[in-house]
Each structure stands twice: as structure tokens, then as C-alpha cells.
Amino acid sequence: MFLRVFVWVGSRATEEKKKKAMEIAQEYSELAKQKDHKRSNIDTVVIHEGAEDILFKACFHAWEDAPTKTHASRVATPVSTPTRTLSASTPTTVNKSTSTSLDEALKQFNQKYTYDVLINNPPAEVDKSKLELYLLDEEFSTLFGVDRVAFNNLPSWKKLELKKAKKLF
């Protein structure tokens, strides 16, 4: 038996929601594998809005693509040559340019950076309103004077005050 879990990421989703959705999908996949060993080949794929491939669309019989800016009619997103095989036991493939494995996507969210990188040149994939989430653990404690757990337990106004003082917002 083959099972595929899609994490669809809308264009207006916050970085926090994207990460949470991926973590939930990962947890679901792990629990499904534990519960039913026949499901050992679960593939979890991240699909971004506007880049849905044919395998994703086939799961929704009433799927309609959003109109493009140049055409009023609904136009399907072209699918290029598939580059990633989902499973050795199935010939089904996914277009690498329109999907990402869950592990790859979560690595981006769990990536940590130095304070200098975050205030001077933050990577595009980080949520600029929550730069403290991407700070290296050692620097976090030094910068704020508390660990992440203690920081998260502070009142919102106090966290904001600390973030402003360190230019992390």
C-alpha cells in the first residue's frame, strides 16, 4: 500500500503556519507508520500555491486553477519532466520544481543563523517578525539573558521590548 501526504502551502500563509503544517504532516506520517507497518512507504510532499502538479490536482475532482494575470480563462500549470520518484515500488513521479520533500522544507524552518546575519541580511525564508526563532541557541541566551523557554513564558509586551532593544523584529 502506498500513501502520499500533501502539505499545500498557500501564498498568504505565515512562516509559523507553514512550519506547523509541515510538523503536523511529519507527525501524522510517523504515527501512521507505527500503527500500520504496511504504510512504511509514506511520502510527504510540500506543494506551493500556484505550482500544484498533476498528481496533487488528481486528488481533487473539482480542482480549478486560478486565472492567470494574462488570461481570464482558467489555465492549468504546465508540468515539466518529472525528476523525483516517490517510491521504488511505483512509477508515479512528482515534478521537483513544484514540490519539495517535507524533510527539505522543515530543514529551512529549523535553520539557525548568527545575530549578525539576522539583523544585517536575513535569508528570504525567515519570518522577519520572528527573527528570534532563527537565532543560534548560544547567542539567544547571551542576547536576551534567558533561555528560549523562559523567553516564551514572558508577557508579550516584554518579549517585544527585548526584541526591539536587539533590533530583532
Side-chain angles (χ1 to χ4, degrees), residues 15 37 41 43 100 116 139-140 146 159:
E15 297 302 308
H37 296 293
N41 54 348
D43 188 54
T100 309
D116 289 334
E139 287 188 87
F140 188 96
V146 295
K159 289 190 272 192

Side-chain angles (χ1 to χ4, degrees), residues 20-169:
K20 189 66 174 173
M22 290 179 211
E23 290 172 342
I24 290 169
Q26 185 177 45
E27 185 177 331
Y28 171 81
S29 295
E30 289 170 7
L31 287 172
K33 288 176 188 177
Q34 290 173 6
K35 195 170 187 174
D36 184 358
H37 296 293
K38 294 175 187 172
R39 294 181 180 215
S40 62
N41 54 348
I42 295 174
D43 188 54
T44 307
V45 180
V46 179
I47 304 286
H48 295 273
E49 180 178 358
E52 297 88 356
D53 62 19
I54 193 72
L55 294 175
F56 176 82
K57 292 177 193 178
C59 295
F60 306 94
H61 92 279
W63 184 272
E64 290 187 25
D65 290 313
T68 63
K69 292 181 182 179
T70 57
H71 302 294
S73 65
R74 300 200 181 269
V75 179
T77 305
V79 178
S80 63
T81 306
T83 58
R84 184 172 71 89
T85 303
L86 293 174
S87 168
S89 63
T90 179
T92 309
T93 55
V94 167
N95 178 353
K96 186 66 172 177
S97 66
T98 61
S99 64
T100 309
S101 78
L102 185 65
D103 290 337
E104 291 171 20
L106 276 173
K107 280 181 191 174
Q108 290 177 357
F109 284 105
N110 294 325
Q111 180 73 35
K112 302 291 184 197
Y113 302 93
T114 65
Y115 175 74
D116 289 334
V117 167
L118 290 173
I119 61 166
N120 295 319
N121 190 19
E125 64 270 7
V126 304
D127 182 347
K128 309 297 188 278
S129 68
K130 298 187 182 236
L131 291 174
E132 73 279 7
L133 298 176
Y134 305 95
L135 195 58
L136 292 170
D137 291 332
E138 312 81 56
E139 287 188 87
F140 188 96
S141 297
T142 303
L143 211 59
F144 292 116
V146 295
D147 63 16
R148 289 182 193 277
V149 173
F151 180 84
N152 290 333
N153 289 329
L154 293 172
S156 296
W157 66 267
K158 182 66 174 173
K159 289 190 272 192
L160 184 59
E161 188 178 274
L162 290 169
K163 287 170 52 174
K164 282 183 180 179
K166 302 301 179 187
K167 298 182 169 100
L168 283 171
F169 61 95

